[in-house]
Amino acid sequence: MKILLQAATIYNPQSRYHSQQQNILIENGIITYIGQEAPEADETVATEGLCVSAGWVDMHAVVGEPGLEYKEDLHSLAAAAAAGGFTEVVCLPNTDPVVQTKGAISYIQNRSQQLPVTLLPAAAITIGAQGKDLTEMIDLHQAGAIAFTDGARPLQGVDILLKALQYVQLFDGLLMNKPEHTRLTEHGQMHEGEASTRLGMKGIPSLAEEVMVTRDLQLLAYTGGRIHFSLLSTAAAIEAVRQAKAAGLHVTCDVASYQAAFTDDTIRPFDTNYKVAPPFRSETDVAAIKQGLQDGTIDALVSAHIPHDTEAKKLEFDLADFGIINLETAFAVANTTLTDVLSVEQLVEKFTSGPRRVLRLPEPVIAVGEAANLTLFNPGAAWTPIAAATESKSGNSPFFGQQLKGKVLGTIHKGQAVLSQSF
């Protein structure tokens, strides 16, 4: 199978063709030509505004399989990821049972071998993600766990986090934690502020995130190791990470690509599709997120893809589960809301080199002879996502029916091409 990408603008700083417009020929998954000529091909991708980069990496997605396949299975997750431009996705361990054994790691690896997306299993830090006893992290690392996290369940115990930081240093592993003091967020529904008071809903204070970031950084300075904060949302937490990086600590962080799309004042009141954790915060926090992305404090943008069935979302706001699906819209949402602070090149970096540096994954190079691990996209194309067209099994998204800017045109990875349309 020969695929020609015609007049594609290349975003890949590792490539000699970076920022150039070239024709790219891929034969059976290998890049065999880059230049101005147009070789014969079985399929040609030729469209105005075509851009190509190394395949995008998502560091924060929930898959229901095993146990919760009715929300999302490995096949539907991969289909949604490819539709959103992702060729590699970190799967959180919050399944049933929790990913905490070598068998569970192998299950994800084996079941996803033939899929067009590489699924990277993260293993739980504690047994059952209950925050009490450590898992066999060395065995899990050797089995292929990309990182260690309790995912949706933030680590609360100081002793557990300290031991985990010490333990992963034996193999230079990565600890990922969602910073949230659950006693401070208990029964909270949205950001604590004027809007929550006006709507009569219990708020989720910024302090719940900030005290945990401060605590974790103090432990990191004490023990050493590597820690990654998932889904930061507050100005003070981002500033704490900025100072920790300047002090030389091995800390990285990400934010959800949708976090700057709304504030607590702009969400649709009582619409559970806007109920996320951490919640949409204030204008000050949004400004801090943008600054953190611009100056490099924030290493990556993630989808924070959390699928839920209808029964979990079509409820009263205080009873509904937190989370939205976002694999298919992650880039478009970020491209729509962050273009005032990030160029296309900078935005793409947050989906490519940024997460790969954190995870220590090899960086694909767009060069002749290299395996094709590519994302095709048009940053200027406008489109409107609709529920009927989603690849996910779930439909909990606030972006259905909203026009977004920046469309994924396809992926080429593992010798498989997933194209969004015929060219």
Side-chain angles (χ1 to χ4, degrees):
M1 179 69 173
K2 296 182 180 181
I3 301 173
L4 178 65
L5 311 181
Q6 191 167 305
T9 300
I10 297 172
Y11 289 96
N12 185 226
Q14 294 73 26
S15 172
R16 56 178 290 201
Y17 301 103
H18 177 58
S19 297
Q20 298 178 25
Q21 191 176 80
Q22 300 284 351
N23 296 331
I24 305 171
L25 183 68
I26 298 102
E27 298 185 50
N28 300 320
I30 303 296
I31 300 171
T32 58
Y33 174 81
I34 301 175
Q36 294 300 309
E37 297 180 11
E40 290 186 4
D42 301 304
E43 185 162 11
T44 298
V45 179
T47 183
E48 186 177 353
L50 174 63
C51 298
V52 62
S53 73
W56 299 345
V57 179
D58 183 43
M59 294 181 61
H60 197 101
V62 171
V63 59
E65 186 176 352
L68 304 169
E69 289 89 346
Y70 61 93
K71 293 188 176 186
E72 199 83 281
D73 59 36
L74 295 173
H75 283 78
S76 63
L77 183 85
F86 294 102
T87 61
E88 295 162 86
V89 176
V90 174
C91 298
L92 298 188
N94 307 110
T95 51
D96 187 14
V98 168
V99 178
Q100 59 188 15
T101 65
K102 292 188 289 184
I105 296 290
S106 297
Y107 177 85
I108 295 173
Q109 292 172 331
N110 294 335
R111 291 272 291 168
S112 62
Q113 277 185 354
Q114 303 305 315
L115 299 177
V117 174
T118 298
L119 300 182
L120 305 167
I125 298 171
T126 64
I127 295 173
Q130 295 296 317
K132 297 179 180 178
D133 300 307
L134 293 179
T135 58
E136 296 292 338
M137 287 191 279
I138 292 179
D139 286 347
L140 292 167
H141 167 71
Q142 292 174 344
I146 190 69
F148 294 88
T149 175
D150 278 358
R153 296 180 176 179
L155 280 180
Q156 299 300 297
V158 172
D159 57 332
I160 286 293
L161 181 60
L162 186 147
K163 291 176 183 176
L165 280 169
Q166 292 174 327
Y167 201 61
V168 295
Q169 290 181 63
L170 296 173
F171 50 89
D172 195 26
L174 176 66
L175 210 65
M176 298 168 59
N177 192 29
K178 178 185 174 187
E180 176 190 334
H181 195 303
T182 55
R183 294 300 295 272
L184 293 176
T185 62
E186 193 171 13
H187 305 305
Q189 303 299 317
M190 62 178 293
H191 174 62
E192 182 181 83
E194 291 183 8
S196 64
T197 302
R198 187 168 60 249
L199 295 172
M201 287 197 284
K202 188 176 188 308
I204 297 173
S206 299
L207 186 67
E209 179 176 302
E210 295 156 5
V211 296
M212 296 303 267
V213 168
T214 300
R215 180 205 72 170
D216 291 3
L217 289 173
Q218 289 175 332
L219 290 174
L220 181 66
Y222 177 74
T223 64
R226 292 193 296 142
I227 195 167
H228 177 84
F229 291 118
S230 299
L231 309 184
L232 290 190
S233 66
T234 70
I238 293 168
E239 178 58 28
V241 171
R242 182 180 287 113
Q243 293 181 15
K245 285 188 172 188
L249 295 183
H250 295 298
V251 57
T252 53
C253 66
D254 66 56
V255 299
S257 77
Y258 57 69
Q259 197 65 48
F262 306 103
T263 67
D264 57 331
D265 269 327
T266 61
I267 62 173
R268 186 176 298 171
F270 306 110
D271 186 335
T272 60
N273 284 322
Y274 293 82
K275 187 176 181 181
V276 293
F280 294 110
R281 300 282 188 184
S282 68
E283 289 283 2
T284 300
D285 296 311
V286 168
I289 288 170
K290 291 182 176 181
Q291 179 60 41
L293 287 165
Q294 194 173 44
D295 66 20
T297 299
I298 299 169
D299 299 89
L301 289 165
V302 299
S303 73
H305 178 85
I306 304 177
H308 287 302
D309 60 323
T310 302
E311 286 73 15
K313 274 295 188 179
K314 287 204 171 180
L315 300 167
E316 292 86 350
F317 197 91
D318 60 330
L319 299 178
D321 287 346
F322 290 92
I324 64 174
I325 58 171
N326 190 42
L327 273 170
E328 294 168 82
T329 51
F331 171 75
V333 170
N335 189 57
T336 302
T337 59
L338 298 172
T339 51
D340 57 332
V341 292
L342 296 179
S343 65
V344 173
E345 181 179 343
Q346 291 171 317
L347 185 60
V348 168
E349 193 272 342
K350 300 299 181 184
F351 287 107
T352 54
S353 300
R356 285 190 172 93
R357 281 194 297 269
V358 174
L359 298 169
R360 296 189 175 171
L361 293 172
E363 185 78 33
V365 179
I366 300 177
V368 173
E370 296 288 335
N373 182 351
L374 307 174
T375 297
L376 286 55
F377 62 102
N378 182 345
W383 66 293
T384 302
I386 58 174
T390 183
E391 296 287 353
S392 174
K393 281 189 171 183
S394 297
N396 50 308
S397 171
F399 300 109
F400 290 144
Q402 294 194 29
Q403 188 178 81
L404 301 175
K405 182 182 178 183
K407 185 165 180 57
V408 171
L409 303 177
T411 60
I412 303 174
H413 181 48
K414 295 162 68 173
Q416 301 181 56
V418 180
L419 303 178
S420 64
Q421 63 186 68
S422 297
F423 297 93

